[in-house]
Amino acid sequence: MERTPPDRGRVLESYQDGVKAIRALAERVGDWDVPTPCADWRLIDLAGHLRCVAENFLEYLQDAPDSRLATLFAQDAATAVLIRQQARQNAAELAVLPREPGPDRIMAFGVSAGAYADLMPDMWDRTHLIYRGTKYTVGDHAGAACVEWHLHAWDMARAAGEDYRPRDPDLLVSAWHWGVPHLPLAAGDPWEAVLRSSGRSPRWPERDDRPGRARRRAARQTPSSLPGRGRR
């Protein structure tokens, strides 16, 4: 498995691919109440999560290196504690979102994700946060954002009975090693390795995959709820 830092050009391209995939999948949704591979979320909940995460990522970028995320990670708390805190934040933000249709949530996601894409190239080497003495740059976080968008694009596709595979899964492997190093990456096909390492079953929703357990893991093990690591 590749462990070199992800290439900047490929990260930027993959980021845009993930955003476009989510928007394209949303345009084909016929029922926003169908279940997804993420915990007990319906597709409308996943759309809300995407909106919240994109808004948070933009806030963290604009406030770097003094964002509330950086303050949280500067505590050097145990990984499990940080995961729980981030998961609680995700749940709380989703709970207070206004009632709105799925397309509106995806539109709001696209606005924040687009603003993030506009800002990050000029801030690429800026410190995003420091966790246990290791610097995590804006560029590193951009790789973690790629993983986030492509995983949730797969969630949306599977909820609609489709399949999804990113164009550059090898880039996501590299981004995982730099952005989500505290979780081991499974061996095998690059995209299936990312899916499995995030707690997802590539065969969801087949009955023998025990989807309840996989969904509970998937809700917690995505970059929006995990600490990252960058170059020293």
Side-chain angles (χ1 to χ4, degrees), residues 159 177 192:
H177 285 307
E192 289 200 2

Side-chain angles (χ1 to χ4, degrees), residues 23-230:
R23 298 178 71 172
L25 285 160
E27 291 178 357
R28 301 199 295 271
V29 172
D31 183 1
W32 288 92
D33 286 324
V34 295
T36 74
C38 296
D40 296 317
W41 287 353
R42 299 167 299 155
L43 196 50
I44 187 69
D45 302 315
L46 178 57
H49 172 69
L50 281 164
R51 171 184 172 170
C52 291
V53 171
E55 290 172 351
N56 285 339
F57 281 2
L58 179 59
E59 174 197 328
Y60 302 153
L61 179 64
Q62 292 171 324
D63 292 345
D66 301 312
S67 69
R68 57 191 173 99
L69 183 70
T71 299
L72 172 64
F73 282 75
Q75 299 172 9
D76 286 344
T79 298
V81 172
L82 293 173
I83 291 173
R84 287 196 298 271
Q85 289 176 323
Q86 289 292 93
R88 284 196 295 267
Q89 175 183 312
N90 291 340
E93 290 177 343
L94 185 58
V96 299
L97 273 184
R99 295 176 64 87
E100 57 189 354
D104 288 0
R105 290 182 169 186
I106 296 300
M107 181 180 297
F109 155 78
V111 169
S112 294
Y116 185 100
D118 289 340
L119 290 173
M120 65 178 170
D122 291 336
M123 303 173 68
W124 196 259
D125 295 319
R126 178 181 294 188
T127 299
H128 193 273
L129 57 81
I130 296 176
Y131 177 57
R132 295 188 176 179
T134 302
K135 183 173 74 170
Y136 180 58
T137 68
V138 167
D140 296 325
H141 187 264
C146 291
V147 174
E148 182 89 12
W149 301 156
H150 286 292
L151 283 173
H152 286 318
W154 182 87
D155 294 331
M156 292 180 69
R158 296 307 301 145
E162 303 179 24
D163 200 4
Y164 174 79
R165 183 181 176 91
R167 287 194 302 161
D168 192 359
D170 290 330
L171 180 278
L172 299 182
V173 168
S174 181
W176 183 284
H177 285 307
W178 285 95
V180 199
H182 49 287
L183 285 181
L185 189 68
D189 173 82
W191 178 232
E192 289 200 2
V194 170
L195 288 173
R196 292 186 185 282
S197 299
S198 71
R200 291 159 169 83
S201 168
R203 296 183 301 278
W204 189 91
E206 289 185 8
R207 187 177 305 171
D208 62 353
D209 288 328
R210 300 173 68 182
R213 183 175 68 177
R215 290 198 301 268
R216 286 192 293 273
R217 291 198 306 268
R220 294 169 173 81
Q221 296 183 5
T222 54
S224 64
S225 61
L226 294 173
R229 186 186 73 176

